Amino acid sequence: MASGLFALLDDIAGIAKIAASSVDDVVAQAGKAGAKAAGVVIDDAAVTPRYAVGFAAARELPIIWRIAMGSLRNKLLILLPGALVLALVAPWAITPLLMAGGVFLCFEGAEKLLELVMPHGAHGEGKAGETTGDPAALEQQKIAGAVKTDFILSAEIMAITLAGVADQSFWMKAAVLAIVGVGITVVVYGVVALIVKADDAGMALAANERPAASLLGLRKLQAGEAGAFDRALSWLTQPFGRGLVVAMPHFLNLLGVVGTAAMLWVGGGIIIHGLEEYGLAGLGHGVHDLAVETGRALPAALAGAGEWLAGAALAAVFGVIVGGLTIVAMHWLVGPVVKLFRKDAAAQPGA
């Protein structure tokens, strides 16, 4: 009887080990796939804060929360099932779709670079009626626009993730997609919430002459005169708060630059890798060889980082080229054709 119980416990322990190993595998696969989507994640974090600009401070976090919930719905209810169906029915379509997403990233990145050189207004901004009317309706409009933008970025994240686990089982794919979808949403919108409220926190620190009492929750002492500990601590917290307020606009600009560079690097890299899968490996080999040579030219301690940076920079340059060609095609070929069809449709009887 005892031996049977020990055997059962041993079996349970074995099953637990297998389960733990499976969880470790899922987490490891999710980490690798999520890392490949880093460029899109950075751009998502750079783009989202602007949707809370112009609203009362009390509405900023609720707006970010609603956008985050919309992002989760996009990933878990639409994109995750769609990705799994695609993997089952048409796995051959994953690479073309991924490359199409790469072209989109390059296009967006190149557009942002063009905006720096030739400012022409951000997409969808500055239209009549966007800043007037009911504040609640304006808030809903901003949230809807943010969720639509998030859908495109989330689709690229999920496609990159799916491509990273293409050789795994169905349930592994489902688990990894779910973990990446939830994890990236929590990270992105957690960071966005911190960014959005950072200036408010800075203003509160700058104005607080009783930081010690506030931090320790000593409300009875907050009404009195500042003590020695308060004065010593405020010497640090007040300049830090003022510095935070001053630094946040510059940080947002820097985040936008990093996001643009990441879009070009990731988009260019996706297209290069896709071309390799279709037998056009010359460009990929050239980028790899140049990156390796760059690493060799640096001290041993910097060789790995130098090789990676060189590869990313070359992929970004290729992304700029692809994005520039796409801009030309969209504005000089696709745009006129769409306008022509609209004119023809408007000219039809009964239109």
Side-chain angles (χ1 to χ4, degrees):
M1 184 72 176
S3 62
L5 178 60
F6 284 126
L8 177 60
L9 293 174
D10 186 62
D11 290 341
I12 293 173
I15 293 172
K17 288 179 181 179
I18 294 172
S21 177
S22 298
V23 171
D24 289 342
D25 289 343
V26 170
V27 173
Q29 291 289 342
K32 291 178 182 178
K36 292 180 180 179
V40 190
V41 173
I42 294 171
D43 185 67
D44 205 357
V47 168
T48 305
R50 68 185 175 90
Y51 290 103
V53 172
F55 293 96
R59 295 304 307 157
E60 290 174 344
L61 289 182
I63 288 172
I64 298 302
W65 173 258
R66 291 179 63 187
I67 297 172
M69 291 300 99
S71 177
L72 273 179
R73 287 193 296 271
N74 285 342
K75 293 182 178 76
L76 299 183
L77 300 183
I78 301 173
L79 295 170
L80 190 153
L84 293 176
V85 170
L86 183 67
L88 286 174
V89 177
W92 53 266
I94 295 175
T95 297
L97 288 175
L98 199 58
M99 293 178 71
V103 171
F104 170 77
L105 289 176
C106 294
F107 171 74
E108 285 291 304
E111 277 273 285
K112 290 180 180 181
L113 289 181
L114 185 62
E115 175 71 17
L116 292 176
V117 180
M118 301 170 57
H120 52 277
H123 299 299
E125 294 181 357
K127 293 181 181 179
E130 280 197 351
T131 57
T132 59
D134 182 21
L138 176 60
E139 179 178 315
Q140 183 58 40
Q141 184 183 45
K142 286 281 190 179
I143 292 170
V147 173
K148 289 178 182 177
T149 301
D150 174 89
F151 184 87
I152 298 172
L153 297 173
S154 294
E156 189 64 14
I157 289 170
M158 299 300 268
I160 293 171
T161 303
L162 182 61
V165 292
D167 58 343
Q168 301 296 320
S169 67
F170 175 85
W171 294 112
M172 176 66 82
K173 291 174 184 174
V176 170
L177 286 168
I179 290 174
V180 170
V182 173
I184 283 180
T185 302
V186 170
V187 170
V188 166
Y189 289 97
V191 170
V192 167
L194 290 175
I195 291 173
V196 166
K197 301 306 292 184
D199 55 348
D200 293 337
M203 291 177 66
L205 285 172
N208 190 357
E209 297 180 353
R210 303 296 307 276
S214 300
L215 291 172
L216 296 175
L218 303 177
R219 299 183 180 277
K220 292 182 180 179
L221 299 179
Q222 290 183 32
E225 295 183 1
F229 191 33
D230 278 314
R231 289 192 294 271
L233 193 58
S234 64
W235 183 79
L236 296 173
T237 58
Q238 289 184 327
F240 178 77
R242 289 191 290 269
L244 195 60
V245 173
V246 172
M248 281 312 298
H250 302 290
F251 174 75
L252 287 173
N253 290 334
L254 177 62
L255 189 62
V257 171
V258 173
T260 299
M263 289 178 78
L264 293 168
W265 150 52
V266 173
I270 288 171
I271 298 170
I272 291 172
H273 182 69
L275 292 174
E276 288 179 336
E277 290 195 15
Y278 287 113
L280 303 174
L283 181 60
H285 288 322
V287 169
H288 177 264
D289 292 342
L290 285 173
V292 169
E293 291 300 322
T294 301
R296 288 175 179 171
L298 296 172
L302 302 175
E307 181 178 335
W308 183 87
L309 285 173
L314 290 169
V317 170
F318 179 69
V320 172
I321 295 171
V322 172
L325 293 174
T326 308
I327 289 174
V328 172
M330 291 296 294
H331 288 286
W332 295 98
L333 295 176
V334 178
V337 170
V338 171
K339 289 181 181 179
L340 182 62
F341 274 105
R342 285 178 177 173
K343 288 182 180 178
D344 290 343
Q348 293 290 334

